[in-house]
Amino acid sequence: MAVQAVPTKGNLMNTKKSLALAKIGYDLLDRKRNILIREMMTLIDKVNEIQEKIDKAYEEAYLALQTANITNGFCEDISNSVPIEDGLSLDSRSVMGVEIPILTIAEHPHRKYTYYGLMTTDSAVDKTYQLFSKVKYLTVELAEIENSVYRLADSIKKTQKRANALKNIMIPRFEETVKYISDALDEKDREEFSRLKVIKRKKQSENEENAETQ
């Protein structure tokens, strides 16, 4: 339904400007949505790839742990000697205004030797440590990508909602208002034209009468 604005040329110009801005805004939101969708689809492909790697890494790591438990006894004390990971850092990048997390974790390839004694363990423990470290790094990568996908999906939903509001509500409303004002102004111009014609004929008639009386 058109907004019943006062049909003036000023309001017509303002409404046309608002309509043009709404169309530009819709185009920008539509481009943003498409870019975000492409970015999200790329990350979803990575999620599937990393998930497969994690599944395989977990399988190998638990198999190595079973071997280490057999050759070294139950490895609880050895595992307790490995400290909790504290090398995780968080940064971010922006994709069309959406903050995407960047997770990094410091790698310490030789630090394991300070956790447990080499004399009391064998290579099975080293292999287990390496495989679970691989799981850790892959999990960090997966967490980064899954969080990015969630944020992108949320932004896509909001962008789509705003674009739909412009396309289905604001733009039609402005178009109807422009038509309403334009039609009203045209009608006013026709009435003015008709009024001027009547006045002109009346003046011509009066001039003719005056000429005859003279």
Side-chain angles (χ1 to χ4, degrees):
M1 181 177 178
V3 177
Q4 298 300 309
V6 178
T8 64
K9 291 183 178 180
N11 283 341
L12 179 61
M13 291 177 60
N14 291 334
T15 306
K16 284 184 175 180
K17 288 180 182 178
S18 297
L19 175 59
L21 288 174
K23 288 182 177 180
I24 292 173
Y26 172 76
D27 289 339
L28 291 175
L29 288 173
D30 190 53
R31 291 180 190 177
K32 177 181 179 179
R33 180 182 62 85
N34 290 332
I35 291 172
L36 293 179
I37 288 175
R38 286 198 297 269
E39 182 75 16
M40 186 179 71
M41 295 308 296
T42 300
L43 291 177
I44 288 175
D45 291 339
K46 289 184 180 180
V47 167
N48 295 331
E49 179 183 346
I50 294 173
Q51 188 63 61
E52 291 179 2
K53 290 182 179 179
I54 287 180
D55 292 341
K56 184 177 179 181
Y58 264 116
E59 183 179 350
E60 294 175 348
Y62 278 111
L63 182 61
L65 179 60
Q66 290 177 3
T67 302
N69 283 333
I70 292 172
T71 59
N72 293 268
F74 192 58
C75 297
E76 182 178 5
D77 291 337
I78 297 174
S79 65
N80 288 335
S81 68
V82 180
I84 296 174
E85 178 60 56
D86 61 355
L88 190 66
S89 60
L90 173 64
D91 201 352
S92 64
R93 63 186 178 93
S94 179
V95 178
M96 298 298 292
V98 182
E99 292 297 316
I100 301 301
I102 300 176
L103 293 175
T104 54
I105 185 170
E107 293 191 34
H108 303 281
H110 304 297
R111 198 170 65 180
K112 63 179 180 294
Y113 299 123
T114 64
Y115 298 152
Y116 51 85
L118 296 178
M119 298 296 295
T120 57
T121 59
D122 59 14
S123 60
V125 174
D126 293 340
K127 183 178 180 181
T128 302
Y129 175 88
Q130 292 169 355
L131 289 173
F132 273 102
S133 293
K134 181 180 179 181
V135 169
K136 176 177 63 178
Y137 294 123
L138 287 172
T139 301
V140 170
E141 187 176 358
L142 181 63
E144 174 190 308
I145 296 176
E146 285 187 337
N147 190 274
S148 299
V149 169
Y150 172 80
R151 293 190 180 192
L152 288 169
D154 184 60
S155 181
I156 289 169
K157 182 179 179 180
K158 292 178 180 178
T159 302
Q160 184 66 57
K161 186 176 181 180
R162 292 168 185 163
N164 287 342
L166 285 173
K167 180 181 179 182
N168 300 323
I169 300 175
M170 299 306 298
I171 290 177
R173 183 178 297 172
F174 286 136
E175 288 176 340
E176 289 181 13
T177 302
V178 168
K179 184 177 184 303
Y180 167 76
I181 296 176
S182 297
D183 290 345
L185 291 176
D186 289 342
E187 181 63 26
K188 185 177 179 180
D189 288 341
R190 285 192 293 270
E191 290 176 356
E192 182 66 17
F193 180 73
S194 299
R195 188 178 68 83
L196 291 175
K197 286 183 67 175
V198 170
I199 293 174
K200 184 178 180 180
R201 284 198 300 267
K202 185 176 181 181
K203 286 185 176 181
Q204 286 177 346
S205 178
E206 290 176 351
N207 291 335
E208 289 175 358
E209 289 178 359
N210 291 334
E212 288 178 357
T213 57
Q214 291 177 359

